[in-house]
PDB file of all heavy atoms in Angstrom:
ATOM      1  N   ASP A 330     -13.809  -3.480  23.984  1.00 93.00           N
ATOM      2  CA  ASP A 330     -12.760  -2.434  24.005  1.00 93.00           C
ATOM      3  C   ASP A 330     -11.404  -3.090  23.744  1.00 93.00           C
ATOM      4  O   ASP A 330     -11.167  -4.237  24.118  1.00 93.00           O
ATOM      5  CB  ASP A 330     -12.743  -1.703  25.351  1.00 93.00           C
ATOM      6  CG  ASP A 330     -12.304  -2.598  26.489  1.00 93.00           C
ATOM      7  OD1 ASP A 330     -13.180  -3.276  27.039  1.00 93.00           O
ATOM      8  OD2 ASP A 330     -11.092  -2.615  26.806  1.00 93.00           O
ATOM      9  N   PRO A 331     -10.490  -2.370  23.031  1.00 93.00           N
ATOM     10  CA  PRO A 331      -9.215  -2.989  22.628  1.00 93.00           C
ATOM     11  C   PRO A 331      -8.380  -3.458  23.818  1.00 93.00           C
ATOM     12  O   PRO A 331      -7.742  -4.498  23.722  1.00 93.00           O
ATOM     13  CB  PRO A 331      -8.519  -1.841  21.889  1.00 93.00           C
ATOM     14  CG  PRO A 331      -9.600  -0.976  21.376  1.00 93.00           C
ATOM     15  CD  PRO A 331     -10.671  -1.036  22.457  1.00 93.00           C
ATOM     16  N   ALA A 332      -8.372  -2.729  24.908  1.00 91.00           N
ATOM     17  CA  ALA A 332      -7.578  -3.147  26.070  1.00 91.00           C
ATOM     18  C   ALA A 332      -8.064  -4.473  26.615  1.00 91.00           C
ATOM     19  O   ALA A 332      -7.280  -5.383  26.932  1.00 91.00           O
ATOM     20  CB  ALA A 332      -7.613  -2.086  27.154  1.00 91.00           C
ATOM     21  N   GLY A 333      -9.390  -4.639  26.688  1.00 94.00           N
ATOM     22  CA  GLY A 333      -9.953  -5.883  27.207  1.00 94.00           C
ATOM     23  C   GLY A 333      -9.737  -7.039  26.258  1.00 94.00           C
ATOM     24  O   GLY A 333      -9.415  -8.150  26.702  1.00 94.00           O
ATOM     25  N   THR A 334      -9.947  -6.825  24.947  1.00 95.00           N
ATOM     26  CA  THR A 334      -9.746  -7.951  24.014  1.00 95.00           C
ATOM     27  C   THR A 334      -8.298  -8.351  23.915  1.00 95.00           C
ATOM     28  O   THR A 334      -7.967  -9.564  23.840  1.00 95.00           O
ATOM     29  CB  THR A 334     -10.290  -7.587  22.606  1.00 95.00           C
ATOM     30  OG1 THR A 334      -9.634  -6.377  22.159  1.00 95.00           O
ATOM     31  CG2 THR A 334     -11.781  -7.340  22.623  1.00 95.00           C
ATOM     32  N   SER A 335      -7.381  -7.382  23.905  1.00 93.00           N
ATOM     33  CA  SER A 335      -5.956  -7.735  23.793  1.00 93.00           C
ATOM     34  C   SER A 335      -5.486  -8.468  25.028  1.00 93.00           C
ATOM     35  O   SER A 335      -4.649  -9.377  24.963  1.00 93.00           O
ATOM     36  CB  SER A 335      -5.096  -6.491  23.546  1.00 93.00           C
ATOM     37  OG  SER A 335      -5.236  -5.550  24.610  1.00 93.00           O
ATOM     38  N   ALA A 336      -6.037  -8.116  26.188  1.00 92.00           N
ATOM     39  CA  ALA A 336      -5.647  -8.795  27.431  1.00 92.00           C
ATOM     40  C   ALA A 336      -6.111 -10.248  27.428  1.00 92.00           C
ATOM     41  O   ALA A 336      -5.511 -11.111  28.099  1.00 92.00           O
ATOM     42  CB  ALA A 336      -6.255  -8.077  28.638  1.00 92.00           C
ATOM     43  N   ARG A 337      -7.141 -10.544  26.629  1.00 94.00           N
ATOM     44  CA  ARG A 337      -7.681 -11.921  26.574  1.00 94.00           C
ATOM     45  C   ARG A 337      -7.145 -12.738  25.395  1.00 94.00           C
ATOM     46  O   ARG A 337      -7.548 -13.869  25.184  1.00 94.00           O
ATOM     47  CB  ARG A 337      -9.205 -11.844  26.537  1.00 94.00           C
ATOM     48  CG  ARG A 337      -9.823 -11.479  27.877  1.00 94.00           C
ATOM     49  CD  ARG A 337     -11.247 -11.020  27.736  1.00 94.00           C
ATOM     50  NE  ARG A 337     -11.885 -10.766  29.030  1.00 94.00           N
ATOM     51  CZ  ARG A 337     -11.669  -9.694  29.751  1.00 94.00           C
ATOM     52  NH1 ARG A 337     -10.832  -8.740  29.328  1.00 94.00           N
ATOM     53  NH2 ARG A 337     -12.289  -9.526  30.903  1.00 94.00           N
ATOM     54  N   GLY A 338      -6.255 -12.100  24.586  1.00 95.00           N
ATOM     55  CA  GLY A 338      -5.609 -12.867  23.539  1.00 95.00           C
ATOM     56  C   GLY A 338      -5.967 -12.525  22.120  1.00 95.00           C
ATOM     57  O   GLY A 338      -5.813 -13.358  21.220  1.00 95.00           O
ATOM     58  N   VAL A 339      -6.438 -11.294  21.877  1.00 97.00           N
ATOM     59  CA  VAL A 339      -6.763 -10.865  20.530  1.00 97.00           C
ATOM     60  C   VAL A 339      -5.781  -9.766  20.119  1.00 97.00           C
ATOM     61  O   VAL A 339      -5.541  -8.819  20.902  1.00 97.00           O
ATOM     62  CB  VAL A 339      -8.214 -10.341  20.386  1.00 97.00           C
ATOM     63  CG1 VAL A 339      -8.512  -9.936  18.955  1.00 97.00           C
ATOM     64  CG2 VAL A 339      -9.185 -11.393  20.850  1.00 97.00           C
ATOM     65  N   ALA A 340      -5.210  -9.839  18.945  1.00 95.00           N
ATOM     66  CA  ALA A 340      -4.276  -8.824  18.445  1.00 95.00           C
ATOM     67  C   ALA A 340      -4.828  -8.251  17.143  1.00 95.00           C
ATOM     68  O   ALA A 340      -5.558  -8.935  16.419  1.00 95.00           O
ATOM     69  CB  ALA A 340      -2.912  -9.432  18.208  1.00 95.00           C
ATOM     70  N   TYR A 341      -4.441  -7.018  16.858  1.00 96.00           N
ATOM     71  CA  TYR A 341      -4.955  -6.310  15.656  1.00 96.00           C
ATOM     72  C   TYR A 341      -3.832  -5.488  15.009  1.00 96.00           C
ATOM     73  O   TYR A 341      -3.176  -4.707  15.687  1.00 96.00           O
ATOM     74  CB  TYR A 341      -6.100  -5.383  16.059  1.00 96.00           C
ATOM     75  CG  TYR A 341      -6.624  -4.494  14.984  1.00 96.00           C
ATOM     76  CD1 TYR A 341      -7.309  -5.009  13.902  1.00 96.00           C
ATOM     77  CD2 TYR A 341      -6.452  -3.110  15.056  1.00 96.00           C
ATOM     78  CE1 TYR A 341      -7.841  -4.184  12.912  1.00 96.00           C
ATOM     79  CE2 TYR A 341      -6.936  -2.268  14.079  1.00 96.00           C
ATOM     80  CZ  TYR A 341      -7.646  -2.798  13.016  1.00 96.00           C
ATOM     81  OH  TYR A 341      -8.114  -1.956  12.021  1.00 96.00           O
ATOM     82  N   VAL A 342      -3.621  -5.691  13.738  1.00 94.00           N
ATOM     83  CA  VAL A 342      -2.683  -4.895  12.936  1.00 94.00           C
ATOM     84  C   VAL A 342      -3.503  -4.050  12.005  1.00 94.00           C
ATOM     85  O   VAL A 342      -4.127  -4.556  11.063  1.00 94.00           O
ATOM     86  CB  VAL A 342      -1.689  -5.780  12.157  1.00 94.00           C
ATOM     87  CG1 VAL A 342      -0.765  -4.912  11.311  1.00 94.00           C
ATOM     88  CG2 VAL A 342      -0.868  -6.619  13.143  1.00 94.00           C
ATOM     89  N   SER A 343      -3.490  -2.733  12.220  1.00 91.00           N
ATOM     90  CA  SER A 343      -4.362  -1.817  11.467  1.00 91.00           C
ATOM     91  C   SER A 343      -3.898  -1.662  10.039  1.00 91.00           C
ATOM     92  O   SER A 343      -2.722  -1.803   9.712  1.00 91.00           O
ATOM     93  CB  SER A 343      -4.334  -0.435  12.153  1.00 91.00           C
ATOM     94  OG  SER A 343      -4.965   0.529  11.359  1.00 91.00           O
ATOM     95  N   GLY A 344      -4.842  -1.362   9.152  1.00 86.00           N
ATOM     96  CA  GLY A 344      -4.539  -1.077   7.782  1.00 86.00           C
ATOM     97  C   GLY A 344      -3.857   0.269   7.610  1.00 86.00           C
ATOM     98  O   GLY A 344      -3.243   0.556   6.577  1.00 86.00           O
TER      99      GLY A 344
END
Side-chain angles (χ1 to χ4, degrees):
D330 67 274
T334 57
S335 60
R337 287 163 174 77
V339 182
Y341 173 69
V342 178
S343 171

